[in-house]
Amino acid sequence: MEFLGKHILSVDQFDRNATEQVFAVAEEMQVYAERKRITRVLEGAILSNMFFEPSTRTRVSFGSAFNLLGGEVRETTEVKDSSLAKGESLYDTARVLSGYSDIIVMRHPEEGSVSEFSEASRVPVINGGDGANEHPSQALLDLYTMKKELGTKEKGLDGLRIALIGDLKNGRAVHSLCKLLSHYQRITFNLIAPQELELSDEIETALIAKGHTIKKHVRLEEGIKDVEIIYVTRTQEERFASQEDADRYKGLFRLNQSIYTEHCAPNTVIMHPLPRDSRKDAQELDIDMNENPNLAIFRQADNGVVIRMALFALVLGVVEEVHNHSQPVTWFSSRL
Ligand code: CP
């Protein structure tokens, strides 16, 4: 895959080689993410970080990633704080913002909106999540996390057995992850979802066509046995017609320490794209698991920074230059 100057809109753009290329660059970025060195390779470059839907991780980690490469970040955080609220089109917004920036990251509630925006942009656009459709950088960081977590157990991604739990219909992170995992060999997907929130037939059919195995479960305890990774998701309540509708599915599957101890194989890795819903009526991933060393959710979130640094470096063509612009840190860092 050619990254230079390209939009990153969908994981459909990535094959296994391109995915591994991102991972290799992410490894190179670790030293900067851990504040062991700094680099100014993108000094003078500007990122427009346009988030027209709520976000904590994706927005801040894309911004931090750009800052860690030496670039500047400009942000809009809601439709109501931008001129989209005055009826400006995505086309005009893209034409204008791409005159102010060297690269744009965008999140928007409508499927296909980031792609539409990119067609009018004069600079590369990265999809930070478009409705229930896709979240490509999340899938890359998820897969990178799986590779690293399994690597500590001397296992690889081929032959992986994974349980996907929750709102598999509306979860864009799950959609992108399934597509990316499909490039590996012999994956077994244990799908645990209410019937109305199952993974789409389109994605299921594509996985089966590539030789992967799909097993459907209605009981959490059955689906989490005999897997190496459990990937929990929250009910995507913002995609439902009403709160009442979403509330019907909240709290249906709750993973906690006692269920984990009783039903999971030792050292099963627990992941979640976050945010987890810790309100009483949801709690799909109980906080009583916080001290479980196999809970990878915060390592997963940390990995978002290096993956997003890698995407910027590849798209802006500075991979070979990063270390040439590096220097020691000058401040005391207590980061572990
Ligand atoms: N995982 C994820 O997309 O988190 P945010 O919504 O906080 O960006």
Side-chain angles (χ1 to χ4, degrees):
M1 173 182 168
E2 176 62 59
F3 285 95
L4 189 65
K6 294 284 189 278
H7 304 306
I8 306 288
L9 302 174
S10 164
V11 285
D12 290 338
Q13 294 169 252
F14 291 79
D15 58 14
R16 185 166 172 159
N17 279 343
T19 304
E20 302 279 344
Q21 196 180 342
V22 175
F23 294 172
V25 178
E27 286 296 330
E28 294 290 310
M29 300 300 164
Q30 205 71 48
V31 66
Y32 306 108
E34 289 172 7
R35 314 298 198 273
K36 292 182 176 147
R37 305 271 303 168
I38 60 171
T39 178
R40 311 304 299 163
V41 70
L42 288 184
E43 189 155 26
I46 295 176
L47 162 70
S48 285
N49 212 18
M50 302 288 112
F51 277 70
F52 300 117
E53 213 183 26
S55 171
T56 296
R57 274 145 294 276
T58 314
R59 180 172 63 81
V60 178
S61 64
F62 264 121
S64 297
F66 208 74
N67 287 149
L68 284 166
L69 290 167
E72 302 281 341
V73 181
R74 297 285 172 271
E75 291 198 322
T76 290
T77 50
E78 286 190 72
V79 170
K80 73 174 176 52
D81 293 331
S82 79
S83 286
L84 289 173
K86 301 179 214 166
E88 188 166 42
S89 65
L90 284 176
Y91 178 91
D92 286 2
T93 308
R95 291 291 299 178
V96 171
L97 287 176
S98 56
Y100 301 160
S101 341
D102 298 281
I103 191 163
I104 298 171
V105 174
M106 182 175 166
R107 172 174 285 188
H108 192 283
E110 285 169 28
E111 294 185 26
S113 54
V114 183
S115 176
E116 181 188 337
F117 179 93
S118 73
E119 285 169 21
S121 173
R122 291 169 282 170
V123 299
V125 175
I126 300 180
N127 183 359
D130 62 323
N133 185 33
E134 278 234 34
H135 196 346
S137 64
Q138 180 71 46
L140 287 163
L141 79 87
D142 287 344
L143 207 60
Y144 181 68
T145 303
M146 290 175 195
K147 189 179 160 92
K148 285 179 87 82
E149 296 288 325
L150 293 173
T152 64
K153 302 166 180 44
E154 292 175 9
K155 291 181 184 169
L157 289 166
D158 290 321
L160 173 69
R161 289 166 286 128
I162 181 170
L164 301 174
I165 304 170
D167 183 356
L168 309 184
K169 176 185 175 193
N170 296 303
R172 58 192 172 201
V174 166
H175 302 163
S176 294
L177 177 62
C178 286
K179 291 181 189 179
L180 213 51
L181 265 174
S182 76
H183 298 310
Y184 291 79
Q185 303 292 315
R186 307 177 316 281
I187 310 292
T188 300
F189 294 88
N190 282 9
L191 305 181
I192 308 165
Q195 199 177 13
E196 300 84 352
L197 302 183
E198 284 184 350
L199 195 63
S200 73
D201 287 344
E202 187 190 347
I203 297 177
E204 269 190 46
T205 306
L207 292 174
I208 293 165
K210 290 184 107 175
H212 304 300
T213 304
I214 291 192
K215 298 177 180 172
K216 294 190 182 182
H217 299 272
V218 287
R219 291 193 62 239
L220 177 72
E221 291 80 355
E222 284 168 10
I224 59 176
K225 278 181 190 161
D226 301 324
V227 295
E228 290 141 327
I229 292 181
I230 296 173
Y231 190 94
V232 186
T233 67
R234 95 192 144 87
T235 304
Q236 308 285 300
E237 59 184 33
E238 62 275 34
R239 310 280 173 235
F240 286 77
S242 68
Q243 188 63 47
E244 196 184 14
D245 202 11
D247 287 346
R248 289 166 48 216
Y249 302 102
K250 276 194 185 175
L252 283 183
F253 303 113
R254 296 176 185 226
L255 182 62
N256 60 30
Q257 188 57 50
S258 69
I259 292 173
Y260 178 90
T261 306
E262 190 175 344
H263 298 280
C264 292
N267 297 322
T268 303
V269 177
I270 308 144
M271 294 178 59
H272 190 309
L274 301 180
R276 61 177 153 172
D277 189 341
S278 293
R279 289 171 289 193
K280 254 192 179 149
D281 58 346
Q283 295 180 337
E284 70 269 1
L285 183 55
D286 201 297
I287 58 169
D288 75 354
M289 304 201 70
N290 281 1
E291 301 308 317
N292 185 323
N294 297 297
L295 185 77
I297 58 175
F298 300 118
R299 295 190 288 277
Q300 184 182 355
D302 283 352
N303 287 335
V305 173
V306 287
I307 287 293
R308 289 163 177 142
M309 289 176 80
L311 290 176
F312 288 135
L314 285 159
V315 171
L316 295 176
V318 295
V319 171
E320 303 302 326
E321 290 299 316
V322 173
H323 299 317
N324 294 337
H325 293 260
S326 81
Q327 49 191 286
V329 293
T330 51
W331 65 91
F332 169 75
S333 174
S334 57
R335 295 170 64 88
L336 292 174

